[in-house]
Amino acid sequence: MNRDRSSRTEGRPDGDGSAVVLYWIPLGAGGTGFVRMNGRIYEGLLARKQRRRPLALFHTALRVHTPAGSYVVETMWPSPAGDPAGRGVVATGPVFARPLSLTRVFRYEVRRWQDGNLPDASAAVGGPRTASIDAAVAQRVLDLAPAVPALTWGRDPVGCGDMWNSNSVISWLLACSGLPMHEVVAPDGGRAPGWEAGLVVAQQSGTTPP
């Protein structure tokens, strides 16, 4: 992310109000610590295998502003009980293995939630970062959300060495919407597992230039 374009406070920019705002939220923020602990174990083992130092892990989410309204775009697992339409669910996919997705515990959901809640937004490192103020880009992110590939969470779908997960969905949406992805990088000392998988899937689908 180009630091000069990042925003420290949430709000709509000048013009028609369109914006795509990206959040780098520490993995497990606001939770019980179980997700955070498992993330550290995973990153520690992977770092040792790759002979590098462990990095901070992030979960990414978007808030998309358009003249028609504001939307939270986020992928969550497990899929909670209740009315999916009430939280803006537009797509779902399996976790670990497709047969397991018959139960919501092993199913993730992609949300395009108008006026939705992003409870851990205040924990985002660097605050909300404006990725684009282009109205066409903002609308394309929203239009593409229901078309996210329903790939299996936790698997490497294209052999790129990275697993598909919630971060893959965000990077896929941004790449397919035409953003220059070389400008979108994690905060210093951190990474978002799954980010590369989303970029590779977008490139292989022909929706983004190499």
Side-chain angles (χ1 to χ4, degrees):
M1 173 67 64
N2 185 331
R3 300 301 199 270
D4 293 337
R5 299 180 62 188
S6 64
S7 173
R8 291 285 174 174
T9 58
E10 186 165 0
R12 299 193 183 193
D14 296 333
D16 69 356
S18 295
V20 178
V21 182
L22 176 62
Y23 294 80
W24 297 94
I25 302 170
L27 189 66
T32 61
F34 178 79
V35 172
R36 185 165 54 252
M37 179 187 68
N38 280 274
R40 287 176 177 172
I41 293 173
Y42 162 78
E43 174 62 8
L45 293 173
L46 186 62
R48 184 174 181 180
K49 179 181 178 181
Q50 297 178 345
R51 297 183 179 180
R52 59 171 175 80
R53 65 183 180 87
L55 301 173
L57 300 184
F58 293 99
H59 164 75
T60 53
L62 301 173
R63 194 179 294 276
V64 181
H65 299 294
T66 72
S70 176
Y71 298 78
V72 167
V73 178
E74 188 179 26
T75 303
M76 299 298 293
W77 165 57
S79 182
D83 179 22
R87 54 182 182 268
V89 176
V90 293
T92 62
V95 176
F96 300 144
R98 194 163 294 277
L100 295 176
S101 65
L102 294 175
T103 171
R104 63 179 178 81
V105 176
F106 292 98
R107 188 168 59 246
Y108 67 86
E109 57 185 39
V110 180
R111 299 175 183 174
R112 185 186 60 189
W113 189 1
Q114 186 168 11
D115 299 323
N117 184 32
L118 190 57
D120 299 326
S122 61
V125 173
R129 303 186 178 195
T130 302
S132 175
I133 56 172
D134 188 309
V137 171
Q139 189 59 52
R140 186 158 173 77
V141 169
L142 297 179
D143 292 343
L144 283 169
V148 168
L151 301 175
T152 302
W153 183 304
R155 298 293 184 90
D156 182 353
V158 288
C160 68
D162 198 16
M163 63 179 176
W164 182 267
N165 60 22
S166 59
N167 292 323
S168 311
V169 172
I170 297 300
S171 63
W172 184 89
L173 284 170
L174 295 178
C176 292
S177 297
L179 283 178
M181 295 305 292
H182 65 280
E183 296 183 1
V184 186
V185 297
D188 292 341
R191 71 183 189 91
W195 189 265
E196 184 65 21
L199 298 181
V200 174
V201 171
Q203 183 177 323
Q204 291 189 353
S205 67
T207 52
T208 181

